[in-house]
Amino acid sequence: MRRKEKQITDQDQVEGIIKQAKVCRLGLSDNGQPYVVPLHFGYAPPFLYFHGADKGRKLDILAANARVCFEFDRLEKINKHASACNWGACYTSIIGEGTARILVDQEEKINGLNCIMAQYSSRTFEFGAEDLAETAVIEVRILRMTAKRSG
C-alpha cells in the first residue's frame, strides 16, 4: 500500500468492515480478460463464501483458473469543493486475493450457505436436496488482504 497512513492493520477493524458490507466484488480472469461480479457473501476467516446458479460463466472461469481477487467498500461521505480536482471521499475498503474451489460435498455446501445467510440474517435456514443440487457454492481461501481508510 502506497499510503501507509491510510492502512488499517487492526484485524478487529478489518473484520468489522467486512461484517458491515452488503456486497463483495469478486474478480476473475477469463483467458486474460478481467471479469468482476458483485455477489452476496459470507465470511468465516480465512474463507469467503459465495453462491449462485450451478452453471454459468463464473463457474466456467473458476474451473480454468482458481485465482481470484475480491473487494469490499463503504462510502461514508463525499467531500465537495469548488475545484473539481479537490473533491474527495471518506471511505473504507478492502482488497484481497485468494484461491477458489467449487464445493461438491453436501455438508460443505450447507456450511457455506449458512455462512452466507449469517451475513444478512440471524435466522437459521434449512436447505432442501433440490436447492442444494441446483446451487453452486464457492469457497475462497483468503491468501492476503489489505484494508484502507480515507478521509
Side-chain angles (χ1 to χ4, degrees), residues 1-146:
M1 180 172 297
R2 186 177 60 85
R3 306 264 321 257
K4 294 291 186 191
E5 75 276 8
K6 294 186 176 195
Q7 186 171 5
I8 301 170
T9 57
D10 179 84
Q11 193 60 31
D12 289 339
Q13 288 184 40
V14 171
E15 291 192 6
I17 294 166
I18 295 171
K19 287 180 180 166
Q20 290 177 1
K22 300 299 178 208
V23 174
C24 179
R25 288 162 194 84
L26 185 65
L28 309 120
S29 179
D30 188 4
N31 289 316
Q33 292 297 314
Y35 180 68
V36 176
V37 59
L39 296 166
H40 292 118
F41 69 95
Y43 175 63
F47 299 105
L48 290 170
Y49 293 94
F50 305 97
H51 78 293
D54 64 341
K55 293 177 180 62
R57 183 176 181 190
K58 179 173 61 236
L59 297 183
D60 293 343
I61 294 169
L62 288 174
N65 182 359
R67 293 296 309 258
V68 300
C69 62
F70 55 88
E71 186 270 349
F72 302 94
D73 62 72
R74 180 174 165 191
L75 177 62
E76 297 179 22
K77 182 175 98 171
I78 297 289
N79 298 319
K80 299 177 182 180
H81 194 275
S83 168
C85 292
N86 289 318
W87 278 53
C90 295
Y91 66 89
T92 53
S93 65
I94 295 174
I95 296 175
E97 299 173 17
T99 53
R101 73 181 180 111
I102 300 163
L103 300 179
V104 177
D105 178 80
Q106 188 167 357
E107 289 304 312
E108 287 184 318
K109 287 176 81 169
I110 290 169
N111 179 60
L113 290 169
N114 278 325
C115 185
I116 293 166
M117 294 310 300
Q119 180 73 21
Y120 303 95
S121 173
S122 59
R123 281 187 46 206
T124 57
F125 295 86
E126 297 291 324
F127 303 99
E130 186 176 325
D131 290 333
L132 288 170
E134 296 174 352
T135 303
V137 179
I138 300 161
E139 177 187 80
V140 171
R141 176 178 288 279
I142 299 168
L143 299 175
R144 70 184 124 283
M145 65 180 167
T146 58

